[in-house]
Amino acid sequence: MIFRSIEAGLNSNVGCKRKNNQDNALASRGVYVVCDGMGGGKDGERASAQVAACFSQLAEQPSRNRTSIEHALSQSQQQVLELGQELGGIAGTTITGVVLPTRVEDSVHEQAIDEYCYVINVGDSRTYHMRADAEGHWMAESLTRITRDHSERQNAIDTGEMLPDEANRCIPRNIITQCVGAPDGIQPDWYAARSTGRFIICSDGLHAQIDRELLADVAAAYGDPQVAADMLVQSALDAGGNDNVTVIVLDICGKSSDYSANDDWNVSKIDDHEDIGDLQESTLQTLRAVQ
């Protein structure tokens, strides 16, 4: 366990074109997740709210491991699946974000936390990471996308079927291959990330609305995580605001003298039946090349 300062900012906006906000988010007691509901009307809003409520229960637990997070995901899947059945169709939502193994008291900025945290993902919302320099300034060039979209476009890129530019032209971004509530179930992606630095957690209303360079520049420009979240949302609105947009900016930092430790930041995919405690330092990989 090490002591770190933990602060988070959250902003969610309906955008400029939608009638209601189907995004929901939670930034509380060591659980920081964004959920982007689908299904039209109130269906997506209800789906994302149900998942946020399940993870709010997880946030009350004094400690978490893969089993307890899987329980929250399973509970979410069942509730959203039942919502779809109630509505006579399919309800769904994405979820992505950071879960700390230990509960964080909201009234305490400095707290002992485990060295690694969980990053989870289902769908095409995203979690990014950014490092700070030795003086504590966030570095735009260090922006790393941790999660991979569960989408037809991402599949075409990952399999080599298409180059990124071709896939972006030919495949609509919103054809996703996984969502919480899908009748065939879910296969979440799990990562273990060193719990230091700035995490940017967002719905596709941000990352599909502005390019990576602008996202990185805005995220790095503001020291206060709430201001950073506000300005990221504003950037999406200024670019047209075609979708709901939700952003959590989570800063987990040591003392200023510890910022050099961010050079050692790393993240690794967790395989089936593995947990953070099963990983050795030598198995962790840096994903800075992921765009």
Side-chain angles (χ1 to χ4, degrees):
M1 302 283 278
I2 51 179
F3 282 89
R4 296 201 184 278
S5 170
I6 304 169
E7 295 185 85
L10 165 62
N11 192 320
S12 185
N13 193 288
V14 68
C16 303
K17 305 293 177 63
R18 300 296 178 91
K19 293 182 179 180
N20 64 302
N21 191 349
Q22 298 187 73
D23 290 355
N24 269 281
L26 175 68
S28 177
R29 299 192 172 191
V31 179
Y32 310 91
V33 293
V34 166
C35 307
D36 179 358
M38 296 161 283
K42 295 290 185 180
D43 303 355
E45 185 176 348
R46 290 174 62 186
S48 64
Q50 285 182 330
V51 176
C54 289
F55 275 77
S56 181
Q57 296 174 12
L58 180 68
E60 294 302 315
Q61 297 183 18
S63 62
R64 305 109 185 180
N65 55 23
R66 179 162 181 161
T67 299
S68 59
I69 301 170
E70 284 179 333
H71 177 73
L73 286 167
S74 177
Q75 186 180 35
S76 298
Q77 166 68 10
Q78 185 60 36
Q79 290 188 11
V80 178
L81 184 62
E82 290 174 357
L83 173 63
Q85 293 169 346
E86 172 193 330
L87 297 170
I90 298 175
T93 180
T94 70
I95 182 171
T96 193
V98 175
V99 178
L100 300 180
T102 305
R103 185 173 67 188
V104 174
E105 297 305 325
D106 293 336
S107 60
V108 179
H109 289 307
E110 188 94 356
Q111 179 152 338
I113 62 173
D114 293 283
E115 192 171 2
Y116 286 91
C117 60
Y118 299 92
V119 177
I120 58 171
N121 186 64
V122 178
D124 64 347
S125 294
R126 292 181 180 176
T127 299
Y128 297 85
H129 180 271
M130 181 173 286
R131 295 181 295 120
D133 63 20
E135 296 179 347
H137 302 128
W138 299 112
M139 300 186 295
E141 65 272 19
S142 73
L143 185 73
T144 301
R145 173 155 63 99
I146 299 174
T147 57
R148 306 297 288 176
D149 297 347
H150 294 138
S151 68
E152 292 288 354
R153 179 184 288 182
Q154 189 70 62
N155 283 350
I157 295 170
D158 289 347
T159 60
E161 178 183 346
M162 294 182 182
L163 294 173
D165 287 346
E166 182 183 7
N168 290 341
R169 288 195 309 271
C170 299
I171 304 176
R173 66 172 178 82
N174 59 351
I175 303 178
I176 67 171
T177 57
Q178 280 203 60
C179 68
V180 178
D184 293 337
I186 56 175
Q187 294 180 307
D189 286 337
W190 293 79
Y191 303 84
R194 187 181 291 277
S195 53
T196 186
R198 169 165 281 186
F199 294 86
I200 300 103
I201 306 160
C202 64
S203 62
D204 67 342
L206 178 70
H207 69 74
Q209 192 69 64
I210 64 174
D211 62 31
R212 182 184 183 279
E213 289 71 24
L214 180 57
L215 192 159
D217 287 344
V218 174
Y222 303 94
D224 186 316
Q226 184 60 60
V227 176
D230 294 343
M231 295 308 297
L232 284 166
V233 169
Q234 189 60 51
S235 296
L237 298 179
D238 291 343
N242 294 316
D243 200 353
N244 309 146
V245 55
T246 299
V247 179
I248 296 173
V249 176
L250 169 65
D251 289 352
I252 309 177
C253 305
K255 299 176 182 178
S256 58
S257 59
D258 295 332
Y259 276 109
S260 60
N262 283 340
D263 291 336
D264 298 326
W265 182 83
N266 49 39
V267 60
S268 179
K269 192 86 176 285
I270 305 177
D271 292 331
D272 292 345
H273 311 301
E274 278 189 329
D275 206 341
I276 284 178
D278 301 322
L279 300 179
Q280 301 296 321
E281 188 74 21
S282 60
T283 69
L284 295 174
Q285 303 174 18
T286 296
L287 297 184
R288 295 199 224 289
V290 174
Q291 303 294 322

